[in-house]
Amino acid sequence: MTVRLGLVAASRIAVPAIVEPVADVDGVELVAVAARDLGRAQEAAAEWGADRAYGSYEELLADPDVDAVYIGTPASLHREWAIAAIEAGKHVLCEKPFAANADDARLIADVANGSDVVVMEAFHWRYHPYAAQIREVLDSGVLGRIDRIEAAFDIPEGRIGRDDIRWNLALGGGATMDLGCYSIQWARFAAGADPDVVSAEAVCPVDGVDGSLVAELRWPSGVTGSVSSSMIHDGEEFVVFLRVSGEQGTMTATNPLAPQKGDARITVETGDGTQTYDVATSATYYHQLVAFRDAIVDGTPFPTTADDGVRNMEIVDACYRAAGLDPRPAHD
């Protein structure tokens, strides 16, 4: 079976997420692109090698020759188009964050769980061998009892211009939505459980939109932690890491987001010294697309389910509330 894939939105993220890896993934074919403007859809389809272009998302979802869709719209539109795609019988790979807020995420999950299609949140890092390496270190017991988990995704100020949709509250903007959703998922992955948000502080250069947010976490086991994200980081370099500290040592996973950049590594520091582990530089998006195909064709289980997307969004919303902000509004 070949999975015939369509793009809901001719978005920038579609290039690394779908257009680039699809050529290397057997059994997946990019066949259609939809945009709100037909000319934009035709331009993207010609550039990206898709045979069909549609000037509306509805037309794409009505195409019987499209088996699955990648939703690359702003987060505020995920609920509407994910549900429409599921109801049209299409498998869904939905860009992160899963929805504008946890309520919208639950609506998607309810429809997904009542269907027979695959609905996967596009947290691409989770499908890379790097994630398994991190898990192996944590499960080895080398760190002893885990005491604290910290995760960060900070981007230097000026890298995301103020005209970017990530500064638009109505479209689901905010550092926690775009970047912190990763930090939260790294922390949840490391702990193997979901935390409570104890406190949070945000800086909002745009009213209601967090340019940065830091949250303190606590798990029922007593493990503490923090997650941070920033679009206004005052350093010159990206700061992307997961750090887990235990009674016997500390593991730092550098750049769990994109090991394909070549700077990812695992460093374990204990009383016996320091060990550094190299990481494969294959593209996270390749592994994600393979997992999406296998879930559709073979029913292979996958971790970034709709229910997991709800849980991540619940923590995103809790971070906003703890910082005195409202969760991102639903798009009606």
PDB file of all heavy atoms in Angstrom, residues 8-9 11 13 70-86 92-101 104-105 107-108 121-122 165 171 177 313 331:
ATOM      1  N   VAL A   8      -2.482  20.109   4.149  1.00  0.00           N
ATOM      2  CA  VAL A   8      -3.463  21.123   4.517  1.00  0.00           C
ATOM      3  C   VAL A   8      -2.671  22.347   4.956  1.00  0.00           C
ATOM      4  O   VAL A   8      -2.196  22.430   6.083  1.00  0.00           O
ATOM      5  CB  VAL A   8      -4.391  20.632   5.642  1.00  0.00           C
ATOM      6  CG1 VAL A   8      -5.330  21.741   6.093  1.00  0.00           C
ATOM      7  CG2 VAL A   8      -5.194  19.415   5.177  1.00  0.00           C
ATOM      8  N   ALA A   9      -2.470  23.264   4.028  1.00  0.00           N
ATOM      9  CA  ALA A   9      -1.698  24.499   4.146  1.00  0.00           C
ATOM     10  C   ALA A   9      -0.328  24.316   3.491  1.00  0.00           C
ATOM     11  O   ALA A   9       0.371  23.327   3.743  1.00  0.00           O
ATOM     12  CB  ALA A   9      -1.529  24.975   5.573  1.00  0.00           C
ATOM     13  N   SER A  11       2.557  25.458   4.056  1.00  0.00           N
ATOM     14  CA  SER A  11       3.288  26.150   5.115  1.00  0.00           C
ATOM     15  C   SER A  11       4.793  25.932   5.005  1.00  0.00           C
ATOM     16  O   SER A  11       5.259  24.971   4.377  1.00  0.00           O
ATOM     17  CB  SER A  11       2.808  25.648   6.481  1.00  0.00           C
ATOM     18  OG  SER A  11       2.939  24.240   6.561  1.00  0.00           O
ATOM     19  N   ILE A  13       6.775  24.954   7.379  1.00  0.00           N
ATOM     20  CA  ILE A  13       7.180  23.752   8.101  1.00  0.00           C
ATOM     21  C   ILE A  13       6.947  22.491   7.275  1.00  0.00           C
ATOM     22  O   ILE A  13       7.558  21.451   7.527  1.00  0.00           O
ATOM     23  CB  ILE A  13       6.438  23.661   9.457  1.00  0.00           C
ATOM     24  CG1 ILE A  13       7.027  22.560  10.333  1.00  0.00           C
ATOM     25  CG2 ILE A  13       4.950  23.460   9.250  1.00  0.00           C
ATOM     26  CD1 ILE A  13       8.477  22.730  10.673  1.00  0.00           C
ATOM     27  N   TYR A  70      -1.320  16.055   6.204  1.00  0.00           N
ATOM     28  CA  TYR A  70      -0.456  16.734   7.167  1.00  0.00           C
ATOM     29  C   TYR A  70      -1.045  18.119   7.366  1.00  0.00           C
ATOM     30  O   TYR A  70      -1.212  18.874   6.403  1.00  0.00           O
ATOM     31  CB  TYR A  70       0.969  16.820   6.646  1.00  0.00           C
ATOM     32  CG  TYR A  70       1.854  17.755   7.441  1.00  0.00           C
ATOM     33  CD1 TYR A  70       2.359  17.378   8.685  1.00  0.00           C
ATOM     34  CD2 TYR A  70       2.182  19.018   6.954  1.00  0.00           C
ATOM     35  CE1 TYR A  70       3.166  18.233   9.414  1.00  0.00           C
ATOM     36  CE2 TYR A  70       2.997  19.878   7.668  1.00  0.00           C
ATOM     37  CZ  TYR A  70       3.480  19.483   8.900  1.00  0.00           C
ATOM     38  OH  TYR A  70       4.277  20.336   9.627  1.00  0.00           O
ATOM     39  N   ILE A  71      -1.355  18.459   8.620  1.00  0.00           N
ATOM     40  CA  ILE A  71      -1.974  19.744   8.922  1.00  0.00           C
ATOM     41  C   ILE A  71      -0.902  20.698   9.421  1.00  0.00           C
ATOM     42  O   ILE A  71      -0.362  20.528  10.525  1.00  0.00           O
ATOM     43  CB  ILE A  71      -3.111  19.588   9.951  1.00  0.00           C
ATOM     44  CG1 ILE A  71      -4.208  18.704   9.355  1.00  0.00           C
ATOM     45  CG2 ILE A  71      -3.666  20.954  10.368  1.00  0.00           C
ATOM     46  CD1 ILE A  71      -5.344  18.413  10.306  1.00  0.00           C
ATOM     47  N   GLY A  72      -0.596  21.700   8.608  1.00  0.00           N
ATOM     48  CA  GLY A  72       0.445  22.662   8.940  1.00  0.00           C
ATOM     49  C   GLY A  72      -0.081  24.064   9.127  1.00  0.00           C
ATOM     50  O   GLY A  72       0.669  25.034   8.976  1.00  0.00           O
ATOM     51  N   THR A  73      -1.347  24.192   9.465  1.00  0.00           N
ATOM     52  CA  THR A  73      -1.951  25.500   9.721  1.00  0.00           C
ATOM     53  C   THR A  73      -1.458  26.053  11.057  1.00  0.00           C
ATOM     54  O   THR A  73      -0.863  25.326  11.864  1.00  0.00           O
ATOM     55  CB  THR A  73      -3.476  25.390   9.794  1.00  0.00           C
ATOM     56  OG1 THR A  73      -3.824  24.607  10.958  1.00  0.00           O
ATOM     57  CG2 THR A  73      -4.064  24.737   8.560  1.00  0.00           C
ATOM     58  N   PRO A  74      -1.733  27.340  11.354  1.00  0.00           N
ATOM     59  CA  PRO A  74      -1.514  27.819  12.720  1.00  0.00           C
ATOM     60  C   PRO A  74      -2.280  26.968  13.724  1.00  0.00           C
ATOM     61  O   PRO A  74      -3.325  26.370  13.403  1.00  0.00           O
ATOM     62  CB  PRO A  74      -2.063  29.256  12.667  1.00  0.00           C
ATOM     63  CG  PRO A  74      -1.905  29.670  11.241  1.00  0.00           C
ATOM     64  CD  PRO A  74      -2.180  28.422  10.441  1.00  0.00           C
ATOM     65  N   ALA A  75      -1.777  26.921  14.961  1.00  0.00           N
ATOM     66  CA  ALA A  75      -2.360  26.044  15.980  1.00  0.00           C
ATOM     67  C   ALA A  75      -3.831  26.329  16.235  1.00  0.00           C
ATOM     68  O   ALA A  75      -4.602  25.421  16.559  1.00  0.00           O
ATOM     69  CB  ALA A  75      -1.574  26.177  17.278  1.00  0.00           C
ATOM     70  N   SER A  76      -4.231  27.573  16.076  1.00  0.00           N
ATOM     71  CA  SER A  76      -5.630  27.929  16.344  1.00  0.00           C
ATOM     72  C   SER A  76      -6.595  27.251  15.388  1.00  0.00           C
ATOM     73  O   SER A  76      -7.794  27.142  15.683  1.00  0.00           O
ATOM     74  CB  SER A  76      -5.815  29.447  16.255  1.00  0.00           C
ATOM     75  OG  SER A  76      -5.486  29.911  14.949  1.00  0.00           O
ATOM     76  N   LEU A  77      -6.096  26.768  14.256  1.00  0.00           N
ATOM     77  CA  LEU A  77      -6.957  26.117  13.261  1.00  0.00           C
ATOM     78  C   LEU A  77      -6.868  24.592  13.297  1.00  0.00           C
ATOM     79  O   LEU A  77      -7.563  23.921  12.537  1.00  0.00           O
ATOM     80  CB  LEU A  77      -6.584  26.610  11.857  1.00  0.00           C
ATOM     81  CG  LEU A  77      -6.710  28.113  11.605  1.00  0.00           C
ATOM     82  CD1 LEU A  77      -6.247  28.449  10.197  1.00  0.00           C
ATOM     83  CD2 LEU A  77      -8.144  28.587  11.819  1.00  0.00           C
ATOM     84  N   HIS A  78      -6.036  24.049  14.162  1.00  0.00           N
ATOM     85  CA  HIS A  78      -5.858  22.598  14.188  1.00  0.00           C
ATOM     86  C   HIS A  78      -7.147  21.861  14.510  1.00  0.00           C
ATOM     87  O   HIS A  78      -7.452  20.839  13.893  1.00  0.00           O
ATOM     88  CB  HIS A  78      -4.775  22.212  15.204  1.00  0.00           C
ATOM     89  CG  HIS A  78      -3.392  22.546  14.753  1.00  0.00           C
ATOM     90  ND1 HIS A  78      -2.275  22.295  15.518  1.00  0.00           N
ATOM     91  CD2 HIS A  78      -2.926  23.119  13.601  1.00  0.00           C
ATOM     92  CE1 HIS A  78      -1.195  22.702  14.869  1.00  0.00           C
ATOM     93  NE2 HIS A  78      -1.558  23.205  13.715  1.00  0.00           N
ATOM     94  N   ARG A  79      -7.885  22.337  15.502  1.00  0.00           N
ATOM     95  CA  ARG A  79      -9.122  21.647  15.882  1.00  0.00           C
ATOM     96  C   ARG A  79     -10.061  21.516  14.690  1.00  0.00           C
ATOM     97  O   ARG A  79     -10.566  20.423  14.388  1.00  0.00           O
ATOM     98  CB  ARG A  79      -9.826  22.399  17.012  1.00  0.00           C
ATOM     99  CG  ARG A  79     -11.129  21.729  17.470  1.00  0.00           C
ATOM    100  CD  ARG A  79     -12.037  22.733  18.161  1.00  0.00           C
ATOM    101  NE  ARG A  79     -12.504  23.742  17.222  1.00  0.00           N
ATOM    102  CZ  ARG A  79     -13.022  24.926  17.585  1.00  0.00           C
ATOM    103  NH1 ARG A  79     -13.086  25.269  18.852  1.00  0.00           N
ATOM    104  NH2 ARG A  79     -13.428  25.770  16.662  1.00  0.00           N
ATOM    105  N   GLU A  80     -10.308  22.631  14.018  1.00  0.00           N
ATOM    106  CA  GLU A  80     -11.266  22.631  12.911  1.00  0.00           C
ATOM    107  C   GLU A  80     -10.867  21.649  11.818  1.00  0.00           C
ATOM    108  O   GLU A  80     -11.688  20.818  11.378  1.00  0.00           O
ATOM    109  CB  GLU A  80     -11.375  24.038  12.328  1.00  0.00           C
ATOM    110  CG  GLU A  80     -12.280  24.123  11.103  1.00  0.00           C
ATOM    111  CD  GLU A  80     -12.327  25.513  10.492  1.00  0.00           C
ATOM    112  OE1 GLU A  80     -11.672  26.440  11.024  1.00  0.00           O
ATOM    113  OE2 GLU A  80     -13.030  25.681   9.473  1.00  0.00           O
ATOM    114  N   TRP A  81      -9.610  21.701  11.400  1.00  0.00           N
ATOM    115  CA  TRP A  81      -9.222  20.911  10.233  1.00  0.00           C
ATOM    116  C   TRP A  81      -8.827  19.490  10.578  1.00  0.00           C
ATOM    117  O   TRP A  81      -8.999  18.584   9.752  1.00  0.00           O
ATOM    118  CB  TRP A  81      -8.143  21.651   9.450  1.00  0.00           C
ATOM    119  CG  TRP A  81      -8.737  22.904   8.878  1.00  0.00           C
ATOM    120  CD1 TRP A  81      -8.488  24.185   9.257  1.00  0.00           C
ATOM    121  CD2 TRP A  81      -9.772  22.967   7.896  1.00  0.00           C
ATOM    122  NE1 TRP A  81      -9.288  25.057   8.559  1.00  0.00           N
ATOM    123  CE2 TRP A  81     -10.091  24.336   7.708  1.00  0.00           C
ATOM    124  CE3 TRP A  81     -10.471  22.019   7.150  1.00  0.00           C
ATOM    125  CZ2 TRP A  81     -11.065  24.755   6.816  1.00  0.00           C
ATOM    126  CZ3 TRP A  81     -11.447  22.440   6.257  1.00  0.00           C
ATOM    127  CH2 TRP A  81     -11.728  23.788   6.094  1.00  0.00           C
ATOM    128  N   ALA A  82      -8.354  19.265  11.790  1.00  0.00           N
ATOM    129  CA  ALA A  82      -8.105  17.876  12.199  1.00  0.00           C
ATOM    130  C   ALA A  82      -9.418  17.111  12.290  1.00  0.00           C
ATOM    131  O   ALA A  82      -9.527  15.975  11.800  1.00  0.00           O
ATOM    132  CB  ALA A  82      -7.379  17.845  13.538  1.00  0.00           C
ATOM    133  N   ILE A  83     -10.417  17.717  12.901  1.00  0.00           N
ATOM    134  CA  ILE A  83     -11.715  17.049  13.014  1.00  0.00           C
ATOM    135  C   ILE A  83     -12.336  16.844  11.642  1.00  0.00           C
ATOM    136  O   ILE A  83     -12.874  15.766  11.330  1.00  0.00           O
ATOM    137  CB  ILE A  83     -12.647  17.842  13.946  1.00  0.00           C
ATOM    138  CG1 ILE A  83     -12.149  17.734  15.393  1.00  0.00           C
ATOM    139  CG2 ILE A  83     -14.086  17.350  13.825  1.00  0.00           C
ATOM    140  CD1 ILE A  83     -12.926  18.578  16.392  1.00  0.00           C
ATOM    141  N   ALA A  84     -12.247  17.855  10.783  1.00  0.00           N
ATOM    142  CA  ALA A  84     -12.805  17.718   9.430  1.00  0.00           C
ATOM    143  C   ALA A  84     -12.098  16.592   8.670  1.00  0.00           C
ATOM    144  O   ALA A  84     -12.747  15.817   7.950  1.00  0.00           O
ATOM    145  CB  ALA A  84     -12.665  19.034   8.671  1.00  0.00           C
ATOM    146  N   ALA A  85     -10.788  16.476   8.833  1.00  0.00           N
ATOM    147  CA  ALA A  85     -10.044  15.427   8.138  1.00  0.00           C
ATOM    148  C   ALA A  85     -10.423  14.045   8.660  1.00  0.00           C
ATOM    149  O   ALA A  85     -10.617  13.102   7.885  1.00  0.00           O
ATOM    150  CB  ALA A  85      -8.543  15.662   8.300  1.00  0.00           C
ATOM    151  N   ILE A  86     -10.528  13.926   9.986  1.00  0.00           N
ATOM    152  CA  ILE A  86     -10.911  12.630  10.572  1.00  0.00           C
ATOM    153  C   ILE A  86     -12.290  12.226  10.081  1.00  0.00           C
ATOM    154  O   ILE A  86     -12.517  11.074   9.688  1.00  0.00           O
ATOM    155  CB  ILE A  86     -10.888  12.718  12.111  1.00  0.00           C
ATOM    156  CG1 ILE A  86      -9.469  12.988  12.618  1.00  0.00           C
ATOM    157  CG2 ILE A  86     -11.422  11.418  12.730  1.00  0.00           C
ATOM    158  CD1 ILE A  86      -9.418  13.435  14.068  1.00  0.00           C
ATOM    159  N   VAL A  92      -4.352  11.485   9.938  1.00  0.00           N
ATOM    160  CA  VAL A  92      -3.923  12.847  10.241  1.00  0.00           C
ATOM    161  C   VAL A  92      -2.569  12.866  10.940  1.00  0.00           C
ATOM    162  O   VAL A  92      -2.384  12.212  11.971  1.00  0.00           O
ATOM    163  CB  VAL A  92      -4.963  13.563  11.133  1.00  0.00           C
ATOM    164  CG1 VAL A  92      -4.444  14.924  11.588  1.00  0.00           C
ATOM    165  CG2 VAL A  92      -6.286  13.709  10.398  1.00  0.00           C
ATOM    166  N   LEU A  93      -1.644  13.631  10.377  1.00  0.00           N
ATOM    167  CA  LEU A  93      -0.403  14.017  11.048  1.00  0.00           C
ATOM    168  C   LEU A  93      -0.537  15.510  11.313  1.00  0.00           C
ATOM    169  O   LEU A  93      -0.491  16.320  10.386  1.00  0.00           O
ATOM    170  CB  LEU A  93       0.806  13.719  10.167  1.00  0.00           C
ATOM    171  CG  LEU A  93       2.178  14.114  10.722  1.00  0.00           C
ATOM    172  CD1 LEU A  93       2.466  13.404  12.043  1.00  0.00           C
ATOM    173  CD2 LEU A  93       3.275  13.831   9.702  1.00  0.00           C
ATOM    174  N   CYS A  94      -0.748  15.865  12.576  1.00  0.00           N
ATOM    175  CA  CYS A  94      -1.065  17.241  12.941  1.00  0.00           C
ATOM    176  C   CYS A  94       0.146  17.913  13.572  1.00  0.00           C
ATOM    177  O   CYS A  94       0.700  17.417  14.555  1.00  0.00           O
ATOM    178  CB  CYS A  94      -2.246  17.271  13.913  1.00  0.00           C
ATOM    179  SG  CYS A  94      -2.775  18.941  14.379  1.00  0.00           S
ATOM    180  N   GLU A  95       0.535  19.032  13.022  1.00  0.00           N
ATOM    181  CA  GLU A  95       1.688  19.763  13.545  1.00  0.00           C
ATOM    182  C   GLU A  95       1.471  20.139  15.007  1.00  0.00           C
ATOM    183  O   GLU A  95       0.337  20.333  15.452  1.00  0.00           O
ATOM    184  CB  GLU A  95       1.945  21.015  12.688  1.00  0.00           C
ATOM    185  CG  GLU A  95       3.231  21.747  12.979  1.00  0.00           C
ATOM    186  CD  GLU A  95       4.434  20.825  12.989  1.00  0.00           C
ATOM    187  OE1 GLU A  95       4.675  20.127  11.977  1.00  0.00           O
ATOM    188  OE2 GLU A  95       5.126  20.787  14.030  1.00  0.00           O
ATOM    189  N   LYS A  96       2.573  20.204  15.763  1.00  0.00           N
ATOM    190  CA  LYS A  96       2.513  20.618  17.156  1.00  0.00           C
ATOM    191  C   LYS A  96       2.402  22.136  17.233  1.00  0.00           C
ATOM    192  O   LYS A  96       2.757  22.816  16.271  1.00  0.00           O
ATOM    193  CB  LYS A  96       3.718  20.118  17.952  1.00  0.00           C
ATOM    194  CG  LYS A  96       5.088  20.276  17.320  1.00  0.00           C
ATOM    195  CD  LYS A  96       5.583  21.600  16.873  1.00  0.00           C
ATOM    196  CE  LYS A  96       5.689  22.681  17.909  1.00  0.00           C
ATOM    197  NZ  LYS A  96       6.213  23.950  17.302  1.00  0.00           N
ATOM    198  N   PRO A  97       1.890  22.689  18.340  1.00  0.00           N
ATOM    199  CA  PRO A  97       1.172  21.988  19.395  1.00  0.00           C
ATOM    200  C   PRO A  97      -0.170  21.482  18.866  1.00  0.00           C
ATOM    201  O   PRO A  97      -0.686  21.993  17.881  1.00  0.00           O
ATOM    202  CB  PRO A  97       0.987  23.057  20.474  1.00  0.00           C
ATOM    203  CG  PRO A  97       0.922  24.341  19.700  1.00  0.00           C
ATOM    204  CD  PRO A  97       1.897  24.160  18.558  1.00  0.00           C
ATOM    205  N   PHE A  98      -0.724  20.466  19.542  1.00  0.00           N
ATOM    206  CA  PHE A  98      -1.861  19.728  19.015  1.00  0.00           C
ATOM    207  C   PHE A  98      -3.070  20.608  18.741  1.00  0.00           C
ATOM    208  O   PHE A  98      -3.837  20.339  17.814  1.00  0.00           O
ATOM    209  CB  PHE A  98      -2.223  18.619  20.000  1.00  0.00           C
ATOM    210  CG  PHE A  98      -3.090  17.529  19.429  1.00  0.00           C
ATOM    211  CD1 PHE A  98      -2.803  16.965  18.199  1.00  0.00           C
ATOM    212  CD2 PHE A  98      -4.173  17.044  20.143  1.00  0.00           C
ATOM    213  CE1 PHE A  98      -3.576  15.944  17.681  1.00  0.00           C
ATOM    214  CE2 PHE A  98      -4.963  16.022  19.632  1.00  0.00           C
ATOM    215  CZ  PHE A  98      -4.665  15.477  18.392  1.00  0.00           C
ATOM    216  N   ALA A  99      -3.246  21.644  19.540  1.00  0.00           N
ATOM    217  CA  ALA A  99      -4.399  22.525  19.373  1.00  0.00           C
ATOM    218  C   ALA A  99      -4.102  23.847  20.068  1.00  0.00           C
ATOM    219  O   ALA A  99      -3.037  24.035  20.661  1.00  0.00           O
ATOM    220  CB  ALA A  99      -5.662  21.885  19.957  1.00  0.00           C
ATOM    221  N   ALA A 100      -5.060  24.780  19.997  1.00  0.00           N
ATOM    222  CA  ALA A 100      -4.867  26.076  20.634  1.00  0.00           C
ATOM    223  C   ALA A 100      -4.852  25.964  22.153  1.00  0.00           C
ATOM    224  O   ALA A 100      -4.211  26.760  22.840  1.00  0.00           O
ATOM    225  CB  ALA A 100      -5.972  27.039  20.197  1.00  0.00           C
ATOM    226  N   ASN A 101      -5.553  24.974  22.672  1.00  0.00           N
ATOM    227  CA  ASN A 101      -5.664  24.792  24.122  1.00  0.00           C
ATOM    228  C   ASN A 101      -6.125  23.360  24.391  1.00  0.00           C
ATOM    229  O   ASN A 101      -6.449  22.610  23.459  1.00  0.00           O
ATOM    230  CB  ASN A 101      -6.631  25.815  24.724  1.00  0.00           C
ATOM    231  CG  ASN A 101      -7.980  25.823  24.006  1.00  0.00           C
ATOM    232  OD1 ASN A 101      -8.656  24.801  23.959  1.00  0.00           O
ATOM    233  ND2 ASN A 101      -8.362  26.948  23.426  1.00  0.00           N
ATOM    234  N   ASP A 104      -9.705  22.336  23.082  1.00  0.00           N
ATOM    235  CA  ASP A 104      -9.722  22.003  21.663  1.00  0.00           C
ATOM    236  C   ASP A 104      -9.059  20.653  21.406  1.00  0.00           C
ATOM    237  O   ASP A 104      -9.519  19.862  20.569  1.00  0.00           O
ATOM    238  CB  ASP A 104      -8.996  23.088  20.863  1.00  0.00           C
ATOM    239  CG  ASP A 104      -9.899  24.248  20.475  1.00  0.00           C
ATOM    240  OD1 ASP A 104     -11.024  24.323  21.002  1.00  0.00           O
ATOM    241  OD2 ASP A 104      -9.476  25.085  19.650  1.00  0.00           O
ATOM    242  N   ALA A 105      -7.979  20.385  22.136  1.00  0.00           N
ATOM    243  CA  ALA A 105      -7.297  19.101  21.973  1.00  0.00           C
ATOM    244  C   ALA A 105      -8.214  17.945  22.334  1.00  0.00           C
ATOM    245  O   ALA A 105      -8.216  16.898  21.669  1.00  0.00           O
ATOM    246  CB  ALA A 105      -6.038  19.072  22.832  1.00  0.00           C
ATOM    247  N   LEU A 107     -11.436  17.863  22.071  1.00  0.00           N
ATOM    248  CA  LEU A 107     -12.423  17.700  21.002  1.00  0.00           C
ATOM    249  C   LEU A 107     -11.835  16.877  19.859  1.00  0.00           C
ATOM    250  O   LEU A 107     -12.510  16.002  19.304  1.00  0.00           O
ATOM    251  CB  LEU A 107     -12.887  19.071  20.505  1.00  0.00           C
ATOM    252  CG  LEU A 107     -13.722  19.901  21.494  1.00  0.00           C
ATOM    253  CD1 LEU A 107     -13.967  21.295  20.934  1.00  0.00           C
ATOM    254  CD2 LEU A 107     -15.049  19.207  21.799  1.00  0.00           C
ATOM    255  N   ILE A 108     -10.585  17.147  19.511  1.00  0.00           N
ATOM    256  CA  ILE A 108      -9.930  16.349  18.466  1.00  0.00           C
ATOM    257  C   ILE A 108      -9.808  14.895  18.909  1.00  0.00           C
ATOM    258  O   ILE A 108     -10.126  13.964  18.159  1.00  0.00           O
ATOM    259  CB  ILE A 108      -8.535  16.909  18.143  1.00  0.00           C
ATOM    260  CG1 ILE A 108      -8.616  18.339  17.606  1.00  0.00           C
ATOM    261  CG2 ILE A 108      -7.830  16.008  17.113  1.00  0.00           C
ATOM    262  CD1 ILE A 108      -7.247  19.002  17.444  1.00  0.00           C
ATOM    263  N   GLU A 121       0.302  13.380  16.561  1.00  0.00           N
ATOM    264  CA  GLU A 121       0.842  14.726  16.731  1.00  0.00           C
ATOM    265  C   GLU A 121       2.294  14.718  16.266  1.00  0.00           C
ATOM    266  O   GLU A 121       3.057  13.802  16.579  1.00  0.00           O
ATOM    267  CB  GLU A 121       0.761  15.171  18.184  1.00  0.00           C
ATOM    268  CG  GLU A 121       1.190  16.621  18.388  1.00  0.00           C
ATOM    269  CD  GLU A 121       1.041  17.114  19.816  1.00  0.00           C
ATOM    270  OE1 GLU A 121       0.823  16.272  20.719  1.00  0.00           O
ATOM    271  OE2 GLU A 121       1.146  18.328  20.036  1.00  0.00           O
ATOM    272  N   ALA A 122       2.677  15.770  15.537  1.00  0.00           N
ATOM    273  CA  ALA A 122       3.978  15.776  14.864  1.00  0.00           C
ATOM    274  C   ALA A 122       5.113  16.264  15.765  1.00  0.00           C
ATOM    275  O   ALA A 122       5.807  17.237  15.449  1.00  0.00           O
ATOM    276  CB  ALA A 122       3.897  16.618  13.599  1.00  0.00           C
ATOM    277  N   ILE A 165       3.679  34.815  12.966  1.00  0.00           N
ATOM    278  CA  ILE A 165       2.419  34.410  13.606  1.00  0.00           C
ATOM    279  C   ILE A 165       2.629  33.953  15.045  1.00  0.00           C
ATOM    280  O   ILE A 165       1.670  33.916  15.824  1.00  0.00           O
ATOM    281  CB  ILE A 165       1.714  33.294  12.813  1.00  0.00           C
ATOM    282  CG1 ILE A 165       2.554  32.007  12.780  1.00  0.00           C
ATOM    283  CG2 ILE A 165       1.367  33.755  11.419  1.00  0.00           C
ATOM    284  CD1 ILE A 165       1.794  30.808  12.239  1.00  0.00           C
ATOM    285  N   LEU A 171      -3.818  33.473  16.791  1.00  0.00           N
ATOM    286  CA  LEU A 171      -3.392  32.321  15.997  1.00  0.00           C
ATOM    287  C   LEU A 171      -2.677  31.268  16.844  1.00  0.00           C
ATOM    288  O   LEU A 171      -2.130  30.303  16.313  1.00  0.00           O
ATOM    289  CB  LEU A 171      -2.485  32.778  14.850  1.00  0.00           C
ATOM    290  CG  LEU A 171      -3.153  33.645  13.781  1.00  0.00           C
ATOM    291  CD1 LEU A 171      -2.146  34.043  12.719  1.00  0.00           C
ATOM    292  CD2 LEU A 171      -4.348  32.931  13.151  1.00  0.00           C
ATOM    293  N   MET A 177       3.725  27.852  23.495  1.00  0.00           N
ATOM    294  CA  MET A 177       3.035  27.093  22.447  1.00  0.00           C
ATOM    295  C   MET A 177       4.016  26.543  21.417  1.00  0.00           C
ATOM    296  O   MET A 177       3.978  25.360  21.076  1.00  0.00           O
ATOM    297  CB  MET A 177       2.019  27.997  21.751  1.00  0.00           C
ATOM    298  CG  MET A 177       0.796  28.322  22.581  1.00  0.00           C
ATOM    299  SD  MET A 177      -0.307  26.904  22.798  1.00  0.00           S
ATOM    300  CE  MET A 177      -1.071  26.830  21.171  1.00  0.00           C
ATOM    301  N   MET A 313      -1.088  19.472  26.172  1.00  0.00           N
ATOM    302  CA  MET A 313      -1.767  20.763  26.147  1.00  0.00           C
ATOM    303  C   MET A 313      -2.316  21.140  27.519  1.00  0.00           C
ATOM    304  O   MET A 313      -2.390  22.333  27.853  1.00  0.00           O
ATOM    305  CB  MET A 313      -2.891  20.756  25.118  1.00  0.00           C
ATOM    306  CG  MET A 313      -2.427  20.799  23.667  1.00  0.00           C
ATOM    307  SD  MET A 313      -1.239  22.117  23.291  1.00  0.00           S
ATOM    308  CE  MET A 313      -2.125  23.569  23.856  1.00  0.00           C
ATOM    309  N   HIS A 331     -10.427  29.153  18.110  1.00  0.00           N
ATOM    310  CA  HIS A 331     -10.769  29.879  16.894  1.00  0.00           C
ATOM    311  C   HIS A 331     -12.174  29.471  16.476  1.00  0.00           C
ATOM    312  O   HIS A 331     -12.419  28.310  16.137  1.00  0.00           O
ATOM    313  CB  HIS A 331      -9.784  29.553  15.771  1.00  0.00           C
ATOM    314  CG  HIS A 331     -10.055  30.248  14.486  1.00  0.00           C
ATOM    315  ND1 HIS A 331      -9.680  31.541  14.265  1.00  0.00           N
ATOM    316  CD2 HIS A 331     -10.682  29.832  13.364  1.00  0.00           C
ATOM    317  CE1 HIS A 331     -10.059  31.903  13.043  1.00  0.00           C
ATOM    318  NE2 HIS A 331     -10.671  30.877  12.481  1.00  0.00           N
TER     319      HIS A 331
END
